[in-house]
Amino acid sequence: MDLIYGAIVTGILSGGVYALMASGLTLVFGVMDIINVGQGALVILGAYLTYTLGQHFHIDPFVSLVLTIPAMFVIGAVIEITIIKRLKRERTMLSILVMFAVALIIEGILTISFSADLVKIGASYVDSSFQVGSVYIAYIYLYGFLMSVVLLAALYVFLYRTKFGQGIRATVQNRTAAELIGINVSRVETVTFALGVSLAAAGGMVYGAINTFNPVSGYDLISRLLVIIILGGMGSLAGALVASLVMLVVEDITAVVWSPVWASLVFYVVLALALLFRPQGIFGKVVARRQ
Amino acid sequence: MRTVIAFTRSSKWLLSFTAIVALILSVSAFPSQPASAAAGPIKIGFSVSLSGDFSSDGQAILQGYQLWANDVNSHGGLLGRKVQLIHYDDASTPTQVATNYTKLITSDKVDLTVGPFSSLLTIPSAAVARRYGYAFLAPAGGGPSVFQQNFPNFFFVQPSPVADNLVSFANWLKSVPVSKRPKTAAYITVDDPFAKPETDTGRSFIQRRGVRTVYNTVVPAEVKDFQPIALATVHSHAQLVVIGSPGSDLTIALIHTFIQQHYSPKAIIATSGPDQGKTFSNAVGLRNTEGIMVPEGWWYGAKTFQNPEFIKSYLQRYHGTVADISQDVPEAYSVGQVLQQAVQKIHSLNNAALIREIHHDRFQTLQGPMHFDSAGRPMGQSFIVQWQNGKPLPVYPSRYAVRNVEYPKPAWH
């Protein structure tokens, strides 16, 4: 029973971090109808930025976000303006190819800069833990989860309590109507894409403190992130959060109770079953655009 | 009548055309192996994982080959010719690795081939090399599934077949008094042709020493979230943990969770990870390496053939310390040494003669003397290395040991 309890706690805490990484992906899809398959590589880029600041300037991983989030925002804006915006036709399909190319470029640059060696973000609290009942909870999981909650809440406030956020939601609901009422849709898209990429900085920091990573680790991530946003409903932030928690908890329980062999399979079985009964995902696109 | 003549002419053209095509195909199917007297460098081709799951090991393998080639060239080359390495990235995938070797042999027309990293990639690579009659010396990839292929051209250049790597550890357990021996063991292995057979064989030997298995699980190669597996291991309270990993990621992840969970087994041995020098010590923290073991075929202080020169070359080129050297580097370097000695003995680059020579002779390497059976299986034994005071040192068997085994492993820092 302790084991299942531990798996549930770990699943929830990891799920929060995955929700953060997936939120950028689902936000960009909601606004731009673009599947950013480069999100995994961008998360790893974020992890390397934090790793570099820690190695060379001894900056704490969480403090490093003050620098890495704006840096990733700029990188996202540059990608959107120089690449995505130039796609005039069949943008959804072409963006998949283009962002895959971006992922390959990022991987190449990271390999040249850091080599293929596995690294891990270090801090005094990464291997420390505290006891709750019979289970030890690592501080990094808790801090990562709390940071994800704060950032997702901030994102919610930005989308629902600011004028620019209203513009983003209007664009999600009806791009043409948004343009007609004077919203600068082009600017909304740039900011949304950059926002999605900047969230990868935070997700990458926690991912890199929990796991070892190297320039190719993004491929392991992107398939899971895509499953999460499909299950949650493409474009839905709440869906990404719920799907992350469900998937990670189910996977962790399966791994400890049954076998790791079945854990990864269950991840996709849950997706298949959910889509069988609810093809639009847990929250679905219609609901997502209403939220 | 005209029609008949035309038909005859067409037939002649058709026959000529077919003959030309057949000639071209036969030439490309059996690429000429350049004679040793040919001018220019000796081209040695290989595929290496510079991206994908094995990229960390692949990079170290590349370093090993490059160091060997530099050392050979700085001493006048091979048969009086410079050695030129040609390599391609295989992204750690079996399909790409086969494509790479086909290209190396048929398009680049390399004189010799050497192997990539891992058993997974060695099988398709050695198959391509066999098809074209090339000798195939591999620095890694000695899992049972490789030897089951019975490749006549294949040679695994490590002291012992992979499956036997944990036998030394099991033998050491036998030397520990029963009252002090671990009572229980957990086995976590990646579903991989290198790691799983090694762990399975090790488990059967360790069980014979009276150590009860309390947790045994196989992790699919695509799984990268090791936290639940680590928690299950912690929950088993096993006194001995055996980790079967083709790379270092599983080993590092488990150790971090063990530290977080305040779980310190009496002994930890991993098939890979602790052998990767600074990649390992940087990832788990130097102090937390203390007492962790790994089966190896080389260590920096060994008095083996050309070992001091190798270390000097490594430190000159890559800097750092001797403890930073990944095991993959001397393994790849050893491949070059066997190849060099065999070529020099037959004084030729003829691959058929080379295969015969390697099967029947003995060779000196960084990993000690080496000879092979008919399946290319090495006939030696690996030894156990344990991290002590920040350095990996041989601890068993006694003929290799420079320190006693530190047992039980100290608690985490």
Side-chain angles (χ1 to χ4, degrees), chain B residues 247-314:
Chain B
S248 56
D249 53 351
L250 173 65
T251 308
I252 293 168
L254 290 179
I255 288 172
H256 274 288
T257 305
F258 292 170
I259 296 168
Q260 290 165 356
Q261 296 296 318
H262 301 263
Y263 165 64
S264 184
K266 282 183 166 181
I268 298 178
I269 185 162
T271 59
S272 185
D275 60 340
Q276 293 190 5
K278 67 177 175 185
T279 301
F280 178 69
S281 58
N282 285 349
V284 302
L286 196 58
R287 291 193 305 171
N288 284 321
T289 59
E290 190 67 23
I292 296 173
M293 293 188 259
V294 61
E296 286 193 1
W298 171 88
W299 84 285
Y300 55 82
K303 291 177 174 53
T304 49
F305 181 63
Q306 294 180 335
N307 200 32
E309 294 90 331
F310 160 76
I311 288 173
K312 192 177 166 192
S313 298
Y314 181 92

Side-chain angles (χ1 to χ4, degrees), chain A residues 1-3 6-7 10 14 18 51 107 111 115-120 126-130 135-138 140-141 207 210-212 214 216 220 224 248 251-253 255-256 259-262 264, chain B residues 49-53 55-57 59 89 215 217-220 222-229 231-233 235 247-250 252-253 255-257 259-262 276 278-279 282-284 288:
Chain A
M1 205 56 202
D2 289 348
L3 191 54
T10 307
S14 314
Y18 271 85
Y51 174 77
E107 181 197 328
T111 304
S115 85
D117 286 350
L118 288 164
V119 295
K120 196 168 189 294
V126 164
D127 285 332
S128 304
S129 56
F130 62 99
V135 174
Y136 283 98
I137 297 172
I140 185 64
Y141 278 88
Y207 181 84
I210 290 173
N211 304 283
T212 53
N214 67 6
V216 298
D220 302 326
R224 301 178 121 222
L248 269 294
E251 190 185 37
D252 283 7
I253 290 176
V256 297
S259 158
V261 175
W262 291 103
S264 50
Chain B
S49 303
L50 297 178
S51 55
D53 287 347
S55 50
S56 183
D57 295 275
Q59 205 165 53
D89 178 17
Y215 183 62
T217 196
V218 178
V219 187
E222 69 274 13
V223 168
K224 298 297 169 193
D225 178 10
F226 304 121
Q227 179 76 0
I229 302 153
L231 288 177
T233 310
H235 193 255
S248 56
D249 53 351
L250 173 65
I252 293 168
I255 288 172
H256 274 288
T257 305
I259 296 168
Q260 290 165 356
Q261 296 296 318
H262 301 263
Q276 293 190 5
K278 67 177 175 185
T279 301
N282 285 349
V284 302
N288 284 321

Side-chain angles (χ1 to χ4, degrees), chain B residues 47 94 97-98 101 115-116 120-130 136 151 153:
Chain B
S47 179
V97 85
Y101 278 99
L120 183 70
L121 303 185
T122 295
I123 294 175
S125 321
V128 172
R130 179 182 61 175
F136 197 77
F151 291 125
N153 60 326

Side-chain angles (χ1 to χ4, degrees), chain B residues 243-405:
Chain B
I243 304 167
S245 177
S248 56
D249 53 351
L250 173 65
T251 308
I252 293 168
L254 290 179
I255 288 172
H256 274 288
T257 305
F258 292 170
I259 296 168
Q260 290 165 356
Q261 296 296 318
H262 301 263
Y263 165 64
S264 184
K266 282 183 166 181
I268 298 178
I269 185 162
T271 59
S272 185
D275 60 340
Q276 293 190 5
K278 67 177 175 185
T279 301
F280 178 69
S281 58
N282 285 349
V284 302
L286 196 58
R287 291 193 305 171
N288 284 321
T289 59
E290 190 67 23
I292 296 173
M293 293 188 259
V294 61
E296 286 193 1
W298 171 88
W299 84 285
Y300 55 82
K303 291 177 174 53
T304 49
F305 181 63
Q306 294 180 335
N307 200 32
E309 294 90 331
F310 160 76
I311 288 173
K312 192 177 166 192
S313 298
Y314 181 92
L315 295 178
Q316 268 177 356
R317 184 159 177 159
Y318 300 112
H319 312 294
T321 69
V322 285
D324 296 343
I325 302 173
S326 163
Q327 185 75 196
D328 297 316
V329 184
E331 285 166 3
Y333 195 99
S334 299
V335 165
Q337 290 177 308
V338 174
L339 196 62
Q340 181 181 4
Q341 289 162 43
V343 166
Q344 282 169 340
K345 279 185 183 173
I346 63 171
H347 205 74
S348 160
L349 296 176
N350 182 296
N351 272 273
L354 200 58
I355 292 168
R356 280 196 299 277
E357 164 62 20
I358 300 174
H359 270 303
H360 293 109
D361 218 332
R362 284 172 179 269
F363 304 92
Q364 294 299 323
T365 74
L366 299 179
Q367 301 175 91
M370 212 165 280
H371 64 291
F372 307 91
D373 71 5
S374 59
R377 213 180 268 109
M379 307 291 278
Q381 188 187 26
S382 61
F383 50 89
I384 301 300
V385 158
Q386 186 178 44
W387 280 80
Q388 293 187 10
N389 297 317
K391 287 181 179 174
L393 300 169
V395 290
Y396 190 87
S398 55
R399 67 175 178 277
Y400 297 106
V402 296
R403 295 277 171 84
N404 290 325
V405 176

Side-chain angles (χ1 to χ4, degrees), chain B residues 52-66:
Chain B
D53 287 347
F54 304 140
S55 50
S56 183
D57 295 275
Q59 205 165 53
I61 293 281
L62 179 60
Q63 286 181 346
Y65 285 145
Q66 287 176 334

